[in-house]
Every structure is written in C-alpha cells, then in structure tokens.
C-alpha cells in the first residue's frame, strides 16, 4: 500500500527490504543460543565481528553509490543478517569432539 502512494514510496521500499530481517533475526537468536550451549563463544564473537565489518563496508559502499541513507542501511542490515545466519549455521554444523561419546569408542 505504501508503494502506491508517491509520498510514502521511500518508506515502503525500506519496509519491503527490511521484511526478511525479522525472520533472520529470530534465526540468529536461535543459533546464538545453540552456540552458547555448545560453548562456542569465541567463534560466535568472531563471526559477529566479521559480519559487523562487512555490514559497515557495504553501508559505506552503498552511500558512496548514492543509494538513499535509509535504504542503504536497510540493505546492509539484511545482508549482514544473511551472512550471520550462514556463519552461525556453519559453526553449528562443524563437529566438535565430545569427550563423553568419544571415550566409549
């Protein structure tokens, strides 16, 4: 609806870009809990640091290319969350030695 009204079109574009952000953030929170339980805090913090740097670089690039500041921030936020979900999913799938199960073999 906001995209149909010329005055509210920029806000509608930002909201359209930010729509997947809520679902991605929910997935990120689940992965954070799983990684915390597995005591993978160092890897989780490193993944967050990488995602933060890449978000900032993307934001700077988009602003330099004259994409609107609000739209650039929305795009950078969603891309950063996609990256973070991917990194966390990879971290969860990496097998860690389990002393309880490995000792019985």
């Amino acid at each position: 609806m906001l995209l149909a009204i010329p005055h509210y079109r920029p806000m509608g574009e930002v909201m359209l870009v930010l729509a997947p952000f809520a679902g991605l953030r929910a997935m990120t929170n689940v992965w954070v809990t799983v990684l915390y339980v597995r005591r993978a805090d160092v890897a989780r913090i490193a993944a967050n640091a990488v995602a933060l740097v890449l978000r900032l670089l993307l934001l700077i690039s988009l602003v330099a290319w004259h994409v609107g500041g609000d739209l650039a921030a929305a795009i950078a936020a969603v891309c950063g969350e996609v990256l973070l979900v991917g990194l966390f999913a990879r971290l969860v799938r990496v097998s860690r030695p389990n002393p309880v199960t490995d000792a019985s073999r």
Side-chain angles (χ1 to χ4, degrees):
M1 184 68 180
L2 291 175
L3 294 174
I5 303 170
H7 182 70
Y8 294 112
R9 186 170 181 82
M11 183 171 48
E13 290 170 350
V14 170
M15 291 178 72
L16 192 63
V17 170
L18 279 177
F21 184 80
L24 290 168
R25 181 51 62 107
M27 290 173 62
T28 301
N29 289 337
V30 170
W31 291 126
V32 165
T33 304
V34 170
L35 290 169
Y36 173 77
V37 169
R38 294 181 74 188
R39 301 187 192 278
D41 292 329
V42 173
R44 182 175 52 87
I45 292 170
N48 274 312
V50 167
L52 174 67
V53 169
L54 292 177
R55 278 181 197 175
L56 289 175
L57 290 174
L58 180 60
L59 180 61
I60 291 168
S61 300
L62 288 172
V63 169
W65 291 334
H66 303 291
V67 176
D70 50 355
L71 188 58
I75 292 169
V78 172
C79 290
E81 278 305 305
V82 168
L83 176 67
L84 206 53
V85 166
L87 289 173
F88 284 172
R90 174 78 175 129
L91 286 173
V92 168
R93 286 186 177 89
V94 171
S95 62
R96 290 183 35 212
N98 188 340
V100 175
T101 59
D102 291 343
S104 62
R105 291 183 187 178

